[in-house]
């Protein structure tokens, strides 16, 4: 290494060997490697045959399915355009691309190992589901349609495995784009802040469009396949209104993978982050993402596996579960109201999300670059630019939602019902906007709560922690009020729509809530784009710091990173709100399914029954225990990282003077193995708890003459876990995001700036908040939806 380089504090000249210990073999999935070996012409012919087969399935099912397939196909081409546009951007100087390569290698290596472990667990669970379904009872409707136990078992297992596979693919897509976009954002920041913003947004948009498109396409393909295979609606066969229940396994498979992806990735990213901050920033006083810190590569890798891959799987699961629950409720209502053609009510969620792909694409394209260089001015900051895109997306979503309701939900029995349902959708869209605004208010340092939290840092570490915890608790109030108003408003609008059953009772209430949920998710692709923007911007800042670019470039990436923290917090708030509405729907679908299997009325759960009340207590306890285990997993892994980083600083004193190179690969290996080990316990708790509670109370119920006791206790457990989980997730996500941005606010120069006592206290708060906002918090809303889907799949064993 040249002496002048050491004196100037530049990165090492021996770059090719600096990160060699992190590199690993490519993690391109086997199916893609096989396709790459096929002759291009043969591949085109094969793809044409597959597409033709898919559209034939759609044409044999419904014109609505054909429309959905067309939109999904167009969205695929749009995502390819975004990919080509992003990858055409330059990667900057060699030192940037080398760091990016190390991050990519580490992320892909962990992804391959993590998803290998998850796939083995999914295979075991698929066998368990198969065994349960082969020996369970069947409903009279299934017996009448000739759908035997064996067919039902294989259908559920196929749906489960397909959901798990697609969720894994969604995670892969999220990670694939983030590890390639980060260095391009870093390079663009050397020229223009607006260009860097545009690249990050379009990279996030590619991932979002693919994830949402895959969720919609997967459900539509499964629906069409089962429709044709089971000869639905033909004499002596299953009715179309019974078909959505067969898709529940798809949602469960997606939830299963998303939970472990979020847990493993969250433990990885936050353990590395906490370990790097505690030793590097607090003990050694070096900047964040400094190349001298041995844990810095593990931290940057964690952003991709924890925020991009895990969030891709998470949002895929959210959309899939909510589509299926809305389809089930639409089918149930259409059956009760004796609607002649129920397909519109069943397929409505698929059409809403198809339009979501269109309007979100317009929103993504509305964010354009400029030739102006330098910092983004306060008048036109990144958050304002993305909010403009979000406003455009919402406006178009309102219009397309109205078109969707008139097209699919119009019925002669109640000519004005579609208008009520359009208003339900408007309630959902307003709810989504409210959640984004509330989360932004509590986590953006432009607003008072975060500034007061930063001010509390000036009096010490303890007051910072107290202020952050109290802010998180306070932040649960407004979202709960919004959810409450949304549920009651949508239920009332649906109930007064004019749709009645054979007895003349209004039946549209629950479906109105389902439509509101679809309204809330009608801009999901754009919201996911904002979510993916965060970790890409964070990684870009790390690359700029490690390659020691000028301070002006780091200032641009710092602004983008701070905005990314806010967008991540807002999208987590959005996800919690949608999870609350979806869990309400899935809970209702569970009660309908139990009633169908037991042939007994099951419309309410009485918590005055001691066993049922105990089930509720167990549900609330589950959330606290799960959160505790997730946070302690981060703590234990971070301790290993801290020990390793301290060891390297002691044994290699030349690291601080750039005379020795840190062993980045050792920290990556420690975090990877520990996070895979630590994700098992909380994940197993989430899966086994409802099954164990249901079976134990089923046995107790049969012994005491209460035939539905097991199902009632599980319903109570699900209800209390959902309520507690929503509040806990809001608290953890908001407090963690606020702590992070309070630190960022001080780093802008406020209250003494970097290195001050206030800054050190803010770092402590950020360290506490890391497992809150990126491990336990995001995992909880996956948990409550997985509890709902697992109870739907396992309902027969509770009877």
């Amino acid at each position: 290494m040249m002496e002048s380089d050491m004196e100037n504090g530049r990165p090492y000249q021996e770059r090719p060997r600096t990160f060699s210990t992190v590199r690993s073999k490519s993690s391109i999935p086997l199916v893609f490697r096989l396709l790459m070996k096929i002759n291009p012409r043969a591949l085109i012919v094969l793809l044409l045959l597959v597409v033709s087969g898919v559209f034939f399935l759609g044409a044999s099912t419904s014109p609505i399915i054909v429309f959905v397939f067309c939109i999904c196909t167009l969205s695929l081409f749009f995502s390819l355009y975004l990919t080509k546009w992003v990858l055409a951007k330059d990667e900057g100087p060699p030192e940037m691309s080398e760091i990016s390569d190390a991050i990519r290698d580490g992320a892909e290596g962990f992804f391959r190992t993590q998803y290998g472990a998850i796939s083995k667990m999914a295979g075991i669970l698929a066998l368990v589901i198969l065994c349960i379904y082969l020996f369970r009872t069947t409903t009279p409707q299934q017996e009448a349609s000739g759908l035997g136990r064996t067919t039902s078992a294989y259908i559920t297992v196929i749906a489960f495995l397909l959901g798990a596979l697609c969720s894994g693919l969604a995670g892969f897509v999220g990670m694939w784009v983030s590890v390639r976009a980060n260095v391009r954002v870093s390079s663009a920041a050397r020229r223009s802040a607006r260009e860097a913003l545009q690249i990050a947004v379009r990279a996030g948009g590619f991932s979002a469009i693919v994830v949402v498109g895959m969720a919609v396409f997967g459900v539509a393909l499964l629906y069409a396949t089962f429709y044709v295979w089971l000869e639905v609606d033909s004499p002596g066969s299953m009715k179309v209104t019974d078909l959505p229940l067969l898709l529940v396994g798809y949602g469960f498979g997606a939830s299963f993978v998303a939970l472990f992806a979020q847990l493993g990735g969250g433990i990885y990213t936050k353990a590395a982050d906490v370990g790097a901050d505690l030793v590097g920033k607090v003990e050694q006083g070096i900047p964040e993402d400094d190349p001298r810190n041995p844990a810095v590569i593990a931290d940057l890798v964690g952003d991709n596996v924890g925020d991009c891959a895990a969030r891709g799987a998470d949002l895929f699961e959210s959309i899939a579960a909510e589509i299926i629950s809305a389809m089930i409720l639409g089918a149930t209502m259409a059956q009760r109201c004796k609607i002649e053609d129920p397909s519109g009510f069943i397929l409505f969620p698929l059409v809403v999300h198809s339009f979501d792909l269109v309007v979100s694409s317009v929103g993504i394209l509305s964010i354009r670059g400029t030739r102006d260089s330098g910092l983004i001015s306060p008048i036109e900051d990144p958050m304002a630019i993305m909010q403009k895109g979000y406003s455009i997306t919402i406006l178009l979503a309102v219009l397309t939602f109205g078109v969707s309701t008139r097209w699919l939900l119009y019925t002669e029995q109640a000519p004005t019902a579609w208008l009520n349902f359009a208003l339900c959708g408007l309630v959902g869209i307003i709810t989504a906007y409210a959640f984004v605004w509330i989360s932004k208010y509590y986590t953006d340092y432009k607003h008072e709560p975060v500034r007061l939290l930063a001010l509390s840092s000036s009096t010490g570490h303890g007051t910072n922690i107290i202020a952050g915890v109290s802010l998180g608790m306070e932040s649960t109030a407004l979202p709960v009020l919004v959810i409450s108003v949304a549920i009651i408003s949508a239920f009332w609008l649906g109930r007064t729509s004019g749709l009645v059953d054979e007895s003349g009772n209004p039946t549209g209430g629950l479906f109105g809530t389902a439509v509101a949920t679809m309204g809330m998710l009608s801009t999901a692709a754009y919201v996911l784009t904002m979510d993916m923007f965060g970790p890409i911007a964070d990684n870009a800042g790390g690359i700029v710091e490690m390659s020691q670019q000028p301070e002006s470039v780091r200032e641009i990436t710092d602004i983008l990173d701070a905005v990314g923290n806010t967008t991540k917090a807002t999208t987590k708030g959005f996800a919690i709100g949608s999870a609350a509405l979806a869990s309400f729907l899935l809970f209702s679908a569970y009660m309908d399914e139990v009633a169908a299997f037991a042939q007994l009325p099951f419309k309410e759960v009485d918590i005055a029954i001691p066993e049922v009340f105990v089930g509720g207590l167990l549900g609330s306890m589950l959330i606290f225990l799960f959160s505790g285990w997730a946070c302690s997993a981060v703590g234990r892994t971070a301790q290993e990282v801290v020990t390793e980083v301290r060891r390297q600083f002691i044994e290699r004193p030349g690291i601080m003077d750039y005379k020795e190179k840190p062993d980045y690969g050792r920290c990556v290996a420690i975090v990877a193995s520990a996070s895979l080990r630590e994700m098992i316990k909380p994940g197993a708790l989430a899966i086994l708890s409802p099954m164990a509670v249901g079976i134990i109370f089923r046995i107790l119920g049969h012994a005491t003459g209460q035939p539905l006791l097991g199902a009632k206790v599980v319903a109570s457990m699900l209800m209390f876990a959902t309520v507690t989980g929503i509040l806990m997730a809001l608290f953890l996500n908001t407090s963690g995001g606020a702590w992070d941005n309070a630190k960022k606010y001080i780093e802008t120069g406020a209250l003494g700036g970097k290195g001050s006592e206030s800054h050190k206290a803010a770092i402590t708060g950020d360290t506490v908040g890391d497992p809150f906002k990126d491990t336990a918090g995001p995992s909880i809303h996956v948990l409550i939806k997985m509890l709902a889907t697992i109870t739907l799949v396992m309902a027969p064993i509770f009877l």
Side-chain angles (χ1 to χ4, degrees):
M1 184 171 65
M2 296 172 62
E3 189 67 31
S4 59
D5 292 323
M6 289 166 48
E7 291 171 358
N8 294 328
R10 293 176 186 170
Y12 310 108
Q13 294 302 305
E14 296 180 29
R15 284 287 175 183
R17 294 195 297 272
T18 303
F19 304 107
S20 58
T21 52
V22 182
R23 292 186 177 275
S24 59
K25 63 181 181 180
S26 172
S27 70
I28 298 174
L30 177 62
V31 65
F32 292 139
R33 293 205 300 271
L34 292 174
L35 287 174
M36 288 162 64
K37 294 179 180 179
I38 300 176
N39 181 279
R41 291 183 179 178
L43 185 60
I44 291 171
V45 172
L46 180 64
L47 287 173
L48 286 174
L49 286 173
V50 170
V51 171
S52 301
V54 167
F55 276 91
F56 174 76
L57 267 179
S60 304
T61 306
S62 167
I64 301 169
I65 292 290
V66 175
F67 170 80
V68 171
F69 283 160
C70 287
I71 296 294
C72 289
T73 304
L74 291 174
S75 71
L76 174 63
F77 284 111
F78 177 67
S79 65
L80 291 174
Y81 160 75
L82 291 179
T83 310
K84 186 178 179 182
W85 187 90
V86 170
L87 295 181
K89 299 295 179 179
D90 71 285
E91 296 186 2
E95 58 266 24
M96 277 189 174
S97 56
E98 187 203 346
I99 297 164
S100 173
D101 288 345
I103 295 168
R104 183 173 71 239
D105 293 335
E108 291 180 345
F110 176 74
F111 182 90
R112 183 178 61 251
T113 307
Q114 181 192 27
Y115 276 76
I118 294 173
S119 63
K120 291 172 185 173
M121 291 188 287
I124 293 169
L125 187 55
L127 289 175
V128 172
I129 295 171
L130 181 65
C131 294
I132 290 172
Y133 270 62
L134 286 174
F135 296 101
R136 71 168 197 169
T137 57
T138 54
T139 65
Q141 293 92 331
Q142 289 174 338
E143 291 174 1
S145 64
L147 186 66
R149 291 180 184 177
T150 305
T151 306
S152 177
Y154 284 117
I155 282 175
T156 305
V157 169
I158 289 169
F160 171 81
L161 291 174
L162 182 63
L165 175 65
C166 290
S167 186
L169 269 175
F172 176 77
V173 166
M175 182 211 65
W176 187 90
V177 67
S178 68
V179 296
R180 286 160 177 79
N182 50 20
V183 69
R184 290 167 169 84
V185 175
S186 303
S187 179
R190 297 178 305 145
R191 298 185 295 273
S192 161
R194 187 67 178 260
E195 184 187 348
L197 170 69
Q198 187 185 21
I199 294 172
V201 168
R202 289 198 170 189
F206 158 75
S207 179
I209 294 295
V210 171
V211 167
V212 176
M214 198 157 51
V216 175
F217 183 80
V219 175
L221 181 63
L222 210 56
Y223 178 91
T225 303
F226 290 162
Y227 188 96
V228 173
W229 177 24
L230 300 173
E231 299 177 346
V232 172
D233 275 349
S234 58
S237 297
M238 174 182 283
K239 293 180 180 178
V240 70
T241 49
D242 296 324
L243 184 55
L245 268 175
L246 299 179
L247 307 176
V248 170
Y250 185 83
F252 181 33
S255 299
F256 176 84
V257 171
L259 181 68
F260 281 100
Q262 189 69 69
L263 271 173
I267 293 167
Y268 187 113
T269 182
K270 290 302 108 179
D273 194 1
V274 169
D277 284 355
L278 285 177
V279 184
K281 292 168 71 174
V282 177
E283 294 182 7
Q284 299 294 330
I286 59 178
E288 186 173 357
D289 301 327
D290 191 287
R292 292 170 290 180
N293 194 326
V296 72
I297 288 291
D299 183 11
L300 295 174
V301 168
D303 290 332
N304 295 288
V305 298
D307 287 332
C308 291
R311 295 296 289 159
D314 175 8
L315 265 292
F316 173 88
E317 174 269 337
S318 295
I319 293 163
E322 284 145 12
I323 286 175
I324 292 166
S325 62
M327 290 174 78
I328 291 170
L329 290 174
T332 302
M333 191 194 69
Q335 190 173 25
R336 287 175 181 169
C337 298
K338 304 294 182 186
I339 292 172
E340 290 185 7
D341 183 12
S343 60
F345 287 85
I346 296 170
L347 300 176
F348 175 74
L350 292 173
V351 172
V352 169
H353 275 296
S354 297
F355 279 124
D356 170 21
L357 291 166
V358 176
V359 301
S360 296
S361 298
V362 175
I364 291 164
L365 290 176
S366 72
I367 297 176
R368 296 184 169 275
T370 63
R371 293 185 180 181
D372 299 332
S373 60
L375 285 173
I376 295 173
S377 65
I379 300 171
E380 195 182 37
D381 69 296
M383 196 68 202
I385 295 169
M386 285 192 283
Q387 286 280 20
K388 287 177 186 176
Y390 186 44
S391 299
I392 292 169
T393 306
I394 281 184
L395 180 63
L396 292 173
V398 170
L399 297 175
T400 56
F401 205 93
V403 171
S404 302
T405 49
R406 180 62 181 83
W407 173 25
L408 298 172
L409 303 184
Y410 178 83
T411 173
E412 294 291 342
Q413 295 178 20
T416 60
W418 71 272
L419 187 58
N420 279 47
F421 291 128
L423 291 174
C424 290
L426 186 60
V427 167
I429 291 170
I430 293 170
T431 302
Y433 191 83
F435 258 87
V436 169
W437 185 87
I438 291 167
S439 299
K440 180 177 177 291
Y441 173 73
Y442 278 109
T443 56
D444 193 336
Y445 63 61
K446 294 182 180 64
H447 301 290
E448 187 181 20
V450 174
R451 294 200 174 203
L452 288 175
L453 175 57
L455 184 62
S456 71
S457 304
S458 61
T459 52
H461 301 251
T463 49
N464 173 277
I465 299 300
I466 292 169
V469 169
S470 58
L471 183 149
M473 289 179 174
E474 178 191 323
S475 70
T476 62
L478 282 178
V480 168
L481 291 174
V482 169
I483 291 171
S484 303
V485 171
I487 290 174
I488 293 171
S489 302
F491 190 88
W492 181 82
L493 283 167
R495 193 175 180 83
T496 58
S497 64
L499 288 169
V500 295
D501 61 14
E502 293 175 325
S503 305
N505 299 317
T507 60
L510 274 177
F511 186 67
T513 312
V515 174
T517 307
M518 290 301 105
M520 190 170 184
L521 289 166
S522 61
T523 56
Y526 190 87
V527 172
L528 180 55
T529 298
M530 291 198 296
D531 190 53
M532 291 292 184
F533 166 86
I536 291 171
D538 192 357
N539 255 207
I543 291 172
V544 166
E545 180 70 43
M546 288 199 71
S547 59
Q548 299 188 345
Q549 298 299 310
E551 187 63 26
S552 59
V553 181
R554 180 70 203 197
E555 286 175 9
I556 291 175
T557 54
D558 278 348
I559 290 176
L560 295 179
D561 186 16
V563 171
N565 285 333
T566 304
T567 59
K568 285 192 290 184
T570 56
T571 49
K572 285 167 186 170
F574 172 88
I576 294 164
S578 64
L581 291 175
S583 297
F584 179 69
L585 305 182
L586 289 164
F587 178 75
S588 304
Y590 166 74
M591 295 179 76
D592 287 341
E593 186 180 10
V594 169
F597 274 105
Q599 289 300 292
L600 292 169
F602 187 43
K603 295 183 179 179
E604 58 188 25
V605 179
D606 186 358
I607 61 170
I609 299 170
E611 295 90 344
V612 176
F613 182 72
V614 167
L617 278 177
L618 292 173
S620 294
M621 177 211 71
L622 171 63
I623 298 298
F624 279 87
L625 185 58
F626 177 88
S627 302
W629 283 359
C631 289
S632 66
V634 173
R636 282 192 298 272
T637 309
Q639 286 174 353
E640 294 184 41
V641 176
V642 167
T643 302
E644 173 60 24
V645 175
R646 284 174 177 167
R647 182 192 66 79
Q648 290 199 34
F649 279 137
I650 292 169
E651 295 181 3
R652 301 183 182 189
I655 288 176
M656 295 302 293
D657 299 324
Y658 294 95
K659 294 177 181 176
E660 291 185 79
K661 292 177 289 188
D663 185 356
Y664 301 104
R666 177 64 183 156
C667 286
V668 170
I670 288 172
V671 178
S673 60
S675 57
L676 290 173
R677 180 179 68 248
E678 296 283 359
M679 76 178 184
I680 302 297
K681 190 167 73 168
L685 174 75
I687 293 165
L688 298 177
S689 294
M691 295 170 64
V693 168
I695 292 170
I696 289 169
F697 281 95
R698 171 194 175 180
I699 295 169
L700 185 62
H702 283 294
T704 56
Q706 302 176 75
L708 287 181
L709 185 63
K712 288 178 180 177
V713 171
V714 169
S716 177
M717 183 182 190
L718 178 59
M719 187 188 304
F720 278 70
T722 300
V723 172
T724 309
I726 291 164
L727 294 171
M728 179 68 84
L730 285 169
F731 162 69
L732 294 174
N733 285 330
T734 309
S735 57
W739 266 317
D740 197 348
N741 269 352
K743 179 197 70 176
K744 288 277 190 277
Y745 175 59
I746 292 172
E747 288 175 350
T748 63
L751 301 170
K754 292 182 180 180
S756 65
E757 291 303 314
S758 297
H759 187 227
K760 291 177 182 177
I763 290 170
T764 300
D766 179 36
T767 303
V768 173
D770 275 339
F772 280 25
K773 68 181 174 65
D774 287 322
T775 307
S779 298
I780 288 174
H781 73 260
V782 182
L783 168 65
I784 59 179
K785 281 177 287 188
M786 199 195 73
L787 288 174
T789 52
I790 196 172
T791 51
L792 270 173
V793 172
M794 300 296 181
I797 68 172
F798 306 147
L799 302 174

